[in-house]
Amino acid sequence: ILKQKIIRKAKTKLQTLKHIQIIGIVGSYGKTSTKHVLYHTYKNIVPTITTSGNTNTLLGVANFILQEVQPHHQVMIVEMGEHYTGDIKDLCNLLDPQTIVVAWLTLQHAERMGDIDHIEKVLFEFRGHPSVQHVLINADDPNLQKLKNKYLSDNHTNVEYITSATDIQTQQNFAWIQWNYEGHNIQTRLLGKHSSIFIMMALHIAKYLKLDIATLITPIKNIPYIEHRLQLMYNPVSDIYVIDDS
């Protein structure tokens, strides 16, 4: 009873904050990294808030809305966990997100979710939800790439399959990687080609948010390392670089 009361109160609060653009992130993994990059890309350009840590359950998100979301926020980024059938649907009913990002589809949670087809079904429970206008799918993931002819744009929802950058250049001593995006030189300290997919997602969503790409160049360059995910550490005494991917 208490849980349902909290969820109803969170839903009521959100109904008074309809100006907030809500971005939901689903996936077998990669949700936290995607959230990290989106948040640090937008936060200094538009008032942005995101769920903390690994908060991604219905009750956890409801408490986050009640305790942290404020009227001045314009963008809210939410990690949406898929522990059981119906979880994504319930979160959509609470949030009414305008944009959904699908990070990766794997057998990460097969012990409770079953085979890949069932995991796909649960992750895509947002399909048909009336609030969802934009869906971005990670086309670098071979399992999601196979779905290109299954999940397509329609009169209500725009579906885009996003790939990582193709012309990446790496600077000496891991200083940054860079590539060209629509005439803009994108630089980031994040390591690995796969890191560019998160930024490419952020750049595409920025168009939905009507943000000027030029204003995002510096925030992207300053995105901090994601803790323990190809996090570069330098020891000046030994002059050794260590990449923490623990």
Side-chain angles (χ1 to χ4, degrees):
I1 295 175
L2 178 59
K3 176 181 176 180
Q4 292 305 315
K5 183 178 180 181
I6 292 171
I7 293 167
R8 284 196 301 270
K9 286 180 68 176
K11 178 70 174 178
T12 299
K13 181 177 179 178
L14 278 186
Q15 288 174 339
T16 69
L17 302 171
K18 290 188 178 295
H19 62 282
I20 298 180
Q21 289 289 312
I22 300 176
I23 303 165
I25 305 170
V26 305
S28 302
Y29 67 91
K31 297 187 290 293
T32 300
S33 296
T34 304
K35 177 184 68 175
H36 175 94
V37 169
L38 295 184
Y39 175 68
H40 286 283
T41 299
Y42 304 143
K43 69 171 186 171
N44 292 324
I45 306 301
V46 60
T48 302
I49 190 167
T50 186
T51 47
S52 59
N54 291 319
T55 299
N56 61 19
T57 64
L58 183 61
L59 183 59
V61 172
N63 276 316
F64 157 75
I65 292 166
L66 291 174
Q67 296 169 13
E68 300 188 44
V69 179
Q70 301 298 326
H72 74 275
H73 291 125
Q74 296 181 33
V75 175
M76 179 166 70
I77 304 164
V78 179
E79 186 174 327
M80 302 170 70
E82 72 300 333
H83 299 85
Y84 301 100
T85 300
D87 283 352
I88 300 300
K89 181 179 179 180
D90 289 343
L91 281 163
C92 281
N93 288 336
L94 169 63
L95 294 166
D96 286 331
Q98 294 90 355
T99 301
I100 293 287
V101 175
V102 186
W104 268 270
L105 169 62
T106 70
L107 288 169
Q108 183 92 348
H109 302 299
E111 74 283 355
R112 64 170 183 263
M113 299 282 287
D115 60 26
I116 196 80
D117 292 334
H118 182 68
I119 296 172
E120 174 202 334
K121 182 178 179 181
V122 173
L123 287 182
F124 281 80
E125 287 178 344
F126 60 82
R127 287 188 74 199
H129 191 82
S131 70
V132 177
Q133 302 170 23
H134 307 285
V135 177
L136 290 86
I137 299 175
N138 175 10
D140 282 357
D141 175 10
N143 288 317
L144 289 172
Q145 194 174 55
K146 293 175 185 176
L147 305 177
K148 272 195 170 184
N149 294 322
K150 184 174 181 180
Y151 299 109
L152 303 171
S153 298
D154 56 30
N155 292 333
H156 178 70
T157 305
N158 176 49
V159 178
E160 293 188 81
Y161 287 81
I162 309 300
T163 59
S164 55
T166 57
D167 59 340
I168 292 177
Q169 300 175 10
T170 304
Q171 301 304 306
Q172 188 176 11
N173 294 333
F174 308 103
W176 66 78
I177 62 173
Q178 65 180 19
W179 66 93
N180 182 275
Y181 177 80
E182 297 184 355
H184 298 280
N185 182 38
I186 305 298
Q187 296 183 359
T188 178
R189 74 185 74 185
L190 303 181
L191 301 179
K193 179 181 178 181
H194 75 280
S195 295
S196 73
I197 188 67
F198 306 127
I199 295 170
M200 295 294 277
M201 293 280 192
L203 291 168
H204 277 75
I205 295 172
K207 297 176 182 178
Y208 309 151
L209 301 175
K210 296 181 171 56
L211 301 179
D212 183 352
I213 298 299
T215 66
L216 304 179
I217 304 304
T218 298
I220 289 172
K221 190 172 182 178
N222 293 330
I223 295 172
Y225 291 115
I226 305 166
E227 190 175 11
H228 305 307
R229 290 170 171 86
L230 293 180
Q231 180 181 3
L232 183 66
M233 296 180 290
Y234 174 65
N235 186 330
V237 176
S238 61
D239 193 29
I240 291 175
Y241 288 91
V242 175
I243 298 175
D244 178 3
D245 197 31
S246 59

